Amino acid sequence: MSFDAPTFRRTVGQFATGVTVITIEAEGTVHAMTANSFTSLSLDPPLVLFCVGKNTKMGQLVQRARGFSVNILHAGQQDLSSYFAGAWRQEAAPPFQFARGDGTARLEGCAAALECSMYAVYEGGDHWIVVGRVETVHRTDDRCRPLVFFDGRYVSVDEALQDAAPRRPLVEGG
Ligand SMILES: Cc1cc2nc3c(=O)[nH]c(=O)nc-3n(C[C@H](O)[C@H](O)[C@H](O)COP(=O)(O)OP(=O)(O)OC[C@H]3O[C@@H](n4cnc5c(N)ncnc54)[C@H](O)[C@@H]3O)c2cc1C
């Protein structure tokens, strides 16, 4: 191997992502964690995945949970991202509320949320690859500005949105 761990982290950090908070319920309590490893996986059936460190609390809970929610953060929710990443240094937590749906609790006020049932958990080095089947989707305004993580920090996509062409389907008939 011709590189060290910091180099690896800085290199993959060049891939800009959105930011989610994963919520999970186990033994009657909700646990939440910031994650940017989220991706959609399959349309039929509708599957999504995220990766979680085996040593995290979330990494232990995924083994016994029946489902999870993916809460996609908007640009105004950076505080929540820091808080659920365990990086919040103020005494009082930023305001948030969990909403009760049919499945796992989700974080209120996000750009979008997906409630998932547990589909599979795969081995992935020091992480688990957690695959969920999407059961319910929640969406807000399409023009909501996303929270973006790039190069180890939060960045804005305001300029990109201002220049954006009117929306049209990516696939004819889509
Ligand atoms: C942008 C970004 C992306 C990341 N992506 C990933 C990723 O994809 N995969 C990964 O494994 N790690 C990721 N991390 C790191 C991860 O978020 C942290 O390591 C996190 O602290 C691990 O969470 P934990 O489950 O061990 O829980 P903890 O560290 O115990 O919890 C995180 C924080 O959330 C609070 N909290 C949790 N549930 C509740 C609740 N019900 N009520 C009130 N407070 C609550 C806790 O008090 C704590 O402050 C990311 C971090 C950042 C900043």
Side-chain angles (χ1 to χ4, degrees):
M1 204 162 70
S2 63
F3 54 87
D4 57 12
T7 305
F8 179 66
R9 288 186 79 129
R10 278 200 305 275
T11 305
V12 295
Q14 294 305 300
F15 184 59
T17 67
V19 182
T20 73
V21 169
I22 307 293
T23 47
I24 202 163
E25 268 180 278
E27 286 137 25
T29 55
V30 180
H31 180 71
M33 185 196 88
T34 301
N36 67 343
S37 55
F38 166 75
T39 191
S40 63
L41 174 64
S42 160
L43 196 56
D44 185 18
L47 302 178
V48 296
L49 69 80
F50 71 98
C51 304
V52 60
K54 288 179 180 173
N55 289 333
T56 61
K57 186 169 178 194
M58 177 70 74
Q60 284 145 31
L61 292 175
V62 288
Q63 302 297 337
R64 20 188 224 276
R66 296 174 61 186
F68 59 88
S69 291
V70 180
N71 304 276
I72 300 172
L73 301 188
H74 61 68
Q77 293 178 306
Q78 189 176 320
D79 285 356
L80 291 179
S81 174
S82 297
Y83 178 70
F84 289 114
W88 185 251
R89 297 295 163 248
Q90 296 178 39
E91 204 166 311
F96 67 88
Q97 215 165 358
F98 295 118
R100 278 244 140 264
D102 292 335
T104 308
R106 64 191 161 84
L107 196 56
E108 263 187 358
C110 293
L114 304 105
E115 291 180 33
C116 307
S117 55
M118 200 61 84
Y119 188 81
V121 179
Y122 298 105
E123 188 78 36
D126 57 9
H127 278 56
W128 297 116
I129 302 162
V130 185
V131 181
R133 183 187 175 111
V134 181
E135 305 290 351
T136 312
V137 297
H138 303 267
R139 292 185 59 187
T140 51
D141 180 8
D142 265 358
R143 299 295 289 179
C144 206
R145 287 180 304 130
L147 184 60
V148 178
F149 199 67
F150 170 69
D151 204 15
R153 62 201 163 88
Y154 300 100
V155 296
S156 155
V157 289
D158 283 3
E159 291 147 41
L161 272 180
Q162 273 163 18
D163 295 342
R167 283 171 178 244
R168 60 190 164 84
L170 293 176
V171 178
E172 285 309 317

mmCIF file of all heavy atoms in Angstrom, residues 64-93:
data_model
loop_
_atom_site.group_PDB
_atom_site.id
_atom_site.type_symbol
_atom_site.label_atom_id
_atom_site.label_comp_id
_atom_site.label_asym_id
_atom_site.label_seq_id
_atom_site.Cartn_x
_atom_site.Cartn_y
_atom_site.Cartn_z
ATOM 1 N N ARG A 64 -29.701 -5.423 15.579
ATOM 2 C CA ARG A 64 -30.960 -5.868 16.173
ATOM 3 C C ARG A 64 -32.167 -4.995 15.803
ATOM 4 O O ARG A 64 -33.276 -5.246 16.281
ATOM 5 C CB ARG A 64 -30.867 -5.993 17.685
ATOM 6 C CG ARG A 64 -29.779 -5.249 18.394
ATOM 7 C CD ARG A 64 -29.765 -5.669 19.858
ATOM 8 N NE ARG A 64 -29.627 -4.557 20.761
ATOM 9 C CZ ARG A 64 -28.443 -4.037 21.067
ATOM 10 N NH1 ARG A 64 -27.349 -4.533 20.563
ATOM 11 N NH2 ARG A 64 -28.375 -3.027 21.914
ATOM 12 N N ALA A 65 -31.962 -3.993 14.957
ATOM 13 C CA ALA A 65 -33.086 -3.120 14.595
ATOM 14 C C ALA A 65 -33.886 -3.713 13.446
ATOM 15 O O ALA A 65 -33.349 -4.441 12.612
ATOM 16 C CB ALA A 65 -32.558 -1.744 14.206
ATOM 17 N N ARG A 66 -35.167 -3.385 13.388
ATOM 18 C CA ARG A 66 -36.021 -3.892 12.305
ATOM 19 C C ARG A 66 -36.073 -2.929 11.131
ATOM 20 O O ARG A 66 -36.579 -3.255 10.055
ATOM 21 C CB ARG A 66 -37.427 -4.130 12.841
ATOM 22 C CG ARG A 66 -37.412 -5.241 13.907
ATOM 23 C CD ARG A 66 -38.749 -5.395 14.562
ATOM 24 N NE ARG A 66 -39.780 -5.751 13.593
ATOM 25 C CZ ARG A 66 -41.065 -5.845 13.887
ATOM 26 N NH1 ARG A 66 -41.490 -5.598 15.104
ATOM 27 N NH2 ARG A 66 -41.936 -6.176 12.964
ATOM 28 N N GLY A 67 -35.567 -1.712 11.356
ATOM 29 C CA GLY A 67 -35.578 -0.730 10.282
ATOM 30 C C GLY A 67 -34.822 0.515 10.671
ATOM 31 O O GLY A 67 -34.260 0.604 11.768
ATOM 32 N N PHE A 68 -34.781 1.476 9.752
ATOM 33 C CA PHE A 68 -34.129 2.749 10.036
ATOM 34 C C PHE A 68 -34.743 3.818 9.134
ATOM 35 O O PHE A 68 -35.440 3.495 8.165
ATOM 36 C CB PHE A 68 -32.605 2.653 9.816
ATOM 37 C CG PHE A 68 -32.192 2.270 8.418
ATOM 38 C CD1 PHE A 68 -32.011 3.237 7.430
ATOM 39 C CD2 PHE A 68 -31.985 0.925 8.085
ATOM 40 C CE1 PHE A 68 -31.633 2.866 6.144
ATOM 41 C CE2 PHE A 68 -31.605 0.555 6.804
ATOM 42 C CZ PHE A 68 -31.432 1.526 5.821
ATOM 43 N N SER A 69 -34.496 5.070 9.464
ATOM 44 C CA SER A 69 -34.908 6.172 8.586
ATOM 45 C C SER A 69 -33.684 6.947 8.138
ATOM 46 O O SER A 69 -32.735 7.118 8.914
ATOM 47 C CB SER A 69 -35.863 7.133 9.307
ATOM 48 O OG SER A 69 -37.091 6.501 9.540
ATOM 49 N N VAL A 70 -33.719 7.382 6.897
ATOM 50 C CA VAL A 70 -32.660 8.235 6.352
ATOM 51 C C VAL A 70 -33.252 9.633 6.251
ATOM 52 O O VAL A 70 -34.257 9.839 5.567
ATOM 53 C CB VAL A 70 -32.227 7.765 4.947
ATOM 54 C CG1 VAL A 70 -31.129 8.680 4.400
ATOM 55 C CG2 VAL A 70 -31.773 6.319 4.971
ATOM 56 N N ASN A 71 -32.643 10.587 6.946
ATOM 57 C CA ASN A 71 -33.147 11.965 6.974
ATOM 58 C C ASN A 71 -32.148 12.851 6.235
ATOM 59 O O ASN A 71 -31.005 13.016 6.692
ATOM 60 C CB ASN A 71 -33.304 12.418 8.425
ATOM 61 C CG ASN A 71 -34.203 11.473 9.205
ATOM 62 O OD1 ASN A 71 -35.410 11.608 9.159
ATOM 63 N ND2 ASN A 71 -33.608 10.481 9.877
ATOM 64 N N ILE A 72 -32.562 13.363 5.093
ATOM 65 C CA ILE A 72 -31.653 14.134 4.234
ATOM 66 C C ILE A 72 -31.682 15.606 4.679
ATOM 67 O O ILE A 72 -32.746 16.244 4.667
ATOM 68 C CB ILE A 72 -32.056 13.980 2.758
ATOM 69 C CG1 ILE A 72 -31.978 12.491 2.366
ATOM 70 C CG2 ILE A 72 -31.166 14.840 1.857
ATOM 71 C CD1 ILE A 72 -32.527 12.165 0.994
ATOM 72 N N LEU A 73 -30.507 16.103 5.083
ATOM 73 C CA LEU A 73 -30.454 17.441 5.680
ATOM 74 C C LEU A 73 -30.431 18.547 4.628
ATOM 75 O O LEU A 73 -29.845 18.379 3.554
ATOM 76 C CB LEU A 73 -29.208 17.570 6.570
ATOM 77 C CG LEU A 73 -29.093 16.579 7.738
ATOM 78 C CD1 LEU A 73 -27.915 16.965 8.638
ATOM 79 C CD2 LEU A 73 -30.378 16.496 8.552
ATOM 80 N N HIS A 74 -31.052 19.688 4.973
ATOM 81 C CA HIS A 74 -30.937 20.866 4.114
ATOM 82 C C HIS A 74 -29.871 21.802 4.680
ATOM 83 O O HIS A 74 -29.346 21.577 5.781
ATOM 84 C CB HIS A 74 -32.295 21.554 3.920
ATOM 85 C CG HIS A 74 -32.942 22.065 5.181
ATOM 86 N ND1 HIS A 74 -32.433 23.119 5.906
ATOM 87 C CD2 HIS A 74 -34.055 21.638 5.844
ATOM 88 C CE1 HIS A 74 -33.206 23.352 6.939
ATOM 89 N NE2 HIS A 74 -34.194 22.454 6.941
ATOM 90 N N ALA A 75 -29.575 22.850 3.905
ATOM 91 C CA ALA A 75 -28.438 23.718 4.236
ATOM 92 C C ALA A 75 -28.551 24.358 5.614
ATOM 93 O O ALA A 75 -27.535 24.702 6.219
ATOM 94 C CB ALA A 75 -28.292 24.793 3.166
ATOM 95 N N GLY A 76 -29.772 24.499 6.120
ATOM 96 C CA GLY A 76 -29.959 25.132 7.431
ATOM 97 C C GLY A 76 -29.783 24.178 8.589
ATOM 98 O O GLY A 76 -30.043 24.565 9.744
ATOM 99 N N GLN A 77 -29.356 22.962 8.332
ATOM 100 C CA GLN A 77 -29.297 21.957 9.409
ATOM 101 C C GLN A 77 -27.874 21.505 9.744
ATOM 102 O O GLN A 77 -27.677 20.397 10.259
ATOM 103 C CB GLN A 77 -30.165 20.751 9.027
ATOM 104 C CG GLN A 77 -31.648 21.104 8.972
ATOM 105 C CD GLN A 77 -32.493 19.917 8.550
ATOM 106 O OE1 GLN A 77 -32.240 19.302 7.514
ATOM 107 N NE2 GLN A 77 -33.486 19.600 9.360
ATOM 108 N N GLN A 78 -26.915 22.363 9.506
ATOM 109 C CA GLN A 78 -25.517 22.017 9.810
ATOM 110 C C GLN A 78 -25.331 21.707 11.303
ATOM 111 O O GLN A 78 -24.563 20.819 11.661
ATOM 112 C CB GLN A 78 -24.622 23.183 9.382
ATOM 113 C CG GLN A 78 -23.156 22.839 9.445
ATOM 114 C CD GLN A 78 -22.299 23.985 8.933
ATOM 115 O OE1 GLN A 78 -22.655 24.630 7.945
ATOM 116 N NE2 GLN A 78 -21.191 24.243 9.588
ATOM 117 N N ASP A 79 -26.035 22.454 12.162
ATOM 118 C CA ASP A 79 -25.910 22.211 13.608
ATOM 119 C C ASP A 79 -26.314 20.770 13.955
ATOM 120 O O ASP A 79 -25.680 20.117 14.777
ATOM 121 C CB ASP A 79 -26.800 23.171 14.401
ATOM 122 C CG ASP A 79 -26.210 24.572 14.444
ATOM 123 O OD1 ASP A 79 -25.086 24.762 13.934
ATOM 124 O OD2 ASP A 79 -26.882 25.469 14.981
ATOM 125 N N LEU A 80 -27.393 20.314 13.310
ATOM 126 C CA LEU A 80 -27.859 18.951 13.600
ATOM 127 C C LEU A 80 -26.849 17.923 13.107
ATOM 128 O O LEU A 80 -26.626 16.892 13.753
ATOM 129 C CB LEU A 80 -29.232 18.699 12.963
ATOM 130 C CG LEU A 80 -30.388 19.478 13.587
ATOM 131 C CD1 LEU A 80 -31.687 19.161 12.870
ATOM 132 C CD2 LEU A 80 -30.512 19.148 15.078
ATOM 133 N N SER A 81 -26.219 18.214 11.964
ATOM 134 C CA SER A 81 -25.191 17.315 11.464
ATOM 135 C C SER A 81 -24.051 17.209 12.479
ATOM 136 O O SER A 81 -23.606 16.106 12.826
ATOM 137 C CB SER A 81 -24.659 17.817 10.113
ATOM 138 O OG SER A 81 -23.577 17.018 9.696
ATOM 139 N N SER A 82 -23.591 18.354 12.985
ATOM 140 C CA SER A 82 -22.503 18.335 13.976
ATOM 141 C C SER A 82 -22.957 17.614 15.247
ATOM 142 O O SER A 82 -22.214 16.813 15.814
ATOM 143 C CB SER A 82 -22.093 19.764 14.355
ATOM 144 O OG SER A 82 -21.600 20.414 13.222
ATOM 145 N N TYR A 83 -24.170 17.914 15.663
ATOM 146 C CA TYR A 83 -24.655 17.314 16.915
ATOM 147 C C TYR A 83 -24.716 15.782 16.814
ATOM 148 O O TYR A 83 -24.199 15.075 17.683
ATOM 149 C CB TYR A 83 -26.044 17.883 17.259
ATOM 150 C CG TYR A 83 -26.604 17.269 18.508
ATOM 151 C CD1 TYR A 83 -26.042 17.558 19.759
ATOM 152 C CD2 TYR A 83 -27.664 16.369 18.451
ATOM 153 C CE1 TYR A 83 -26.530 16.954 20.911
ATOM 154 C CE2 TYR A 83 -28.155 15.772 19.593
ATOM 155 C CZ TYR A 83 -27.582 16.060 20.819
ATOM 156 O OH TYR A 83 -28.052 15.452 21.957
ATOM 157 N N PHE A 84 -25.298 15.279 15.747
ATOM 158 C CA PHE A 84 -25.458 13.825 15.642
ATOM 159 C C PHE A 84 -24.180 13.129 15.156
ATOM 160 O O PHE A 84 -24.150 11.908 15.018
ATOM 161 C CB PHE A 84 -26.665 13.476 14.762
ATOM 162 C CG PHE A 84 -27.984 13.795 15.427
ATOM 163 C CD1 PHE A 84 -28.826 14.771 14.926
ATOM 164 C CD2 PHE A 84 -28.362 13.130 16.579
ATOM 165 C CE1 PHE A 84 -30.030 15.085 15.552
ATOM 166 C CE2 PHE A 84 -29.568 13.422 17.224
ATOM 167 C CZ PHE A 84 -30.401 14.410 16.708
ATOM 168 N N ALA A 85 -23.138 13.945 14.932
ATOM 169 C CA ALA A 85 -21.808 13.365 14.671
ATOM 170 C C ALA A 85 -20.984 13.360 15.966
ATOM 171 O O ALA A 85 -19.810 12.998 15.944
ATOM 172 C CB ALA A 85 -21.090 14.157 13.584
ATOM 173 N N GLY A 86 -21.599 13.841 17.046
ATOM 174 C CA GLY A 86 -20.882 13.885 18.325
ATOM 175 C C GLY A 86 -19.859 15.013 18.377
ATOM 176 O O GLY A 86 -18.938 14.982 19.192
ATOM 177 N N ALA A 87 -20.017 16.028 17.515
ATOM 178 C CA ALA A 87 -19.027 17.110 17.432
ATOM 179 C C ALA A 87 -19.592 18.434 17.943
ATOM 180 O O ALA A 87 -19.025 19.488 17.665
ATOM 181 C CB ALA A 87 -18.555 17.268 15.982
ATOM 182 N N TRP A 88 -20.693 18.389 18.674
ATOM 183 C CA TRP A 88 -21.346 19.601 19.172
ATOM 184 C C TRP A 88 -20.717 19.994 20.495
ATOM 185 O O TRP A 88 -20.675 19.181 21.421
ATOM 186 C CB TRP A 88 -22.841 19.321 19.345
ATOM 187 C CG TRP A 88 -23.667 20.483 19.735
ATOM 188 C CD1 TRP A 88 -24.265 20.700 20.946
ATOM 189 C CD2 TRP A 88 -24.045 21.584 18.903
ATOM 190 N NE1 TRP A 88 -24.980 21.863 20.925
ATOM 191 C CE2 TRP A 88 -24.855 22.431 19.677
ATOM 192 C CE3 TRP A 88 -23.764 21.938 17.577
ATOM 193 C CZ2 TRP A 88 -25.400 23.608 19.183
ATOM 194 C CZ3 TRP A 88 -24.308 23.112 17.079
ATOM 195 C CH2 TRP A 88 -25.113 23.931 17.880
ATOM 196 N N ARG A 89 -20.189 21.219 20.598
ATOM 197 C CA ARG A 89 -19.436 21.604 21.793
ATOM 198 C C ARG A 89 -20.208 22.520 22.739
ATOM 199 O O ARG A 89 -19.684 22.917 23.763
ATOM 200 C CB ARG A 89 -18.099 22.266 21.384
ATOM 201 C CG ARG A 89 -17.160 21.334 20.625
ATOM 202 C CD ARG A 89 -16.671 20.155 21.495
ATOM 203 N NE ARG A 89 -16.108 19.086 20.684
ATOM 204 C CZ ARG A 89 -16.638 17.872 20.525
ATOM 205 N NH1 ARG A 89 -17.774 17.545 21.140
ATOM 206 N NH2 ARG A 89 -16.060 16.957 19.768
ATOM 207 N N GLN A 90 -21.432 22.891 22.382
ATOM 208 C CA GLN A 90 -22.200 23.754 23.285
ATOM 209 C C GLN A 90 -22.987 22.912 24.281
ATOM 210 O O GLN A 90 -23.266 21.737 24.024
ATOM 211 C CB GLN A 90 -23.145 24.634 22.474
ATOM 212 C CG GLN A 90 -22.380 25.592 21.559
ATOM 213 C CD GLN A 90 -23.311 26.421 20.712
ATOM 214 O OE1 GLN A 90 -24.360 26.860 21.155
ATOM 215 N NE2 GLN A 90 -22.934 26.638 19.462
ATOM 216 N N GLU A 91 -23.370 23.564 25.386
ATOM 217 C CA GLU A 91 -24.034 22.802 26.441
ATOM 218 C C GLU A 91 -25.411 22.295 26.001
ATOM 219 O O GLU A 91 -25.746 21.132 26.174
ATOM 220 C CB GLU A 91 -24.169 23.680 27.687
ATOM 221 C CG GLU A 91 -24.294 22.846 28.946
ATOM 222 C CD GLU A 91 -24.098 23.673 30.191
ATOM 223 O OE1 GLU A 91 -23.088 24.421 30.236
ATOM 224 O OE2 GLU A 91 -24.944 23.584 31.077
ATOM 225 N N ALA A 92 -26.208 23.223 25.414
ATOM 226 C CA ALA A 92 -27.559 22.842 24.986
ATOM 227 C C ALA A 92 -27.520 22.276 23.567
ATOM 228 O O ALA A 92 -26.862 22.837 22.683
ATOM 229 C CB ALA A 92 -28.464 24.059 25.033
ATOM 230 N N ALA A 93 -28.245 21.195 23.382
ATOM 231 C CA ALA A 93 -28.327 20.594 22.037
ATOM 232 C C ALA A 93 -29.118 21.521 21.113
ATOM 233 O O ALA A 93 -29.992 22.255 21.586
ATOM 234 C CB ALA A 93 -29.019 19.242 22.127
#
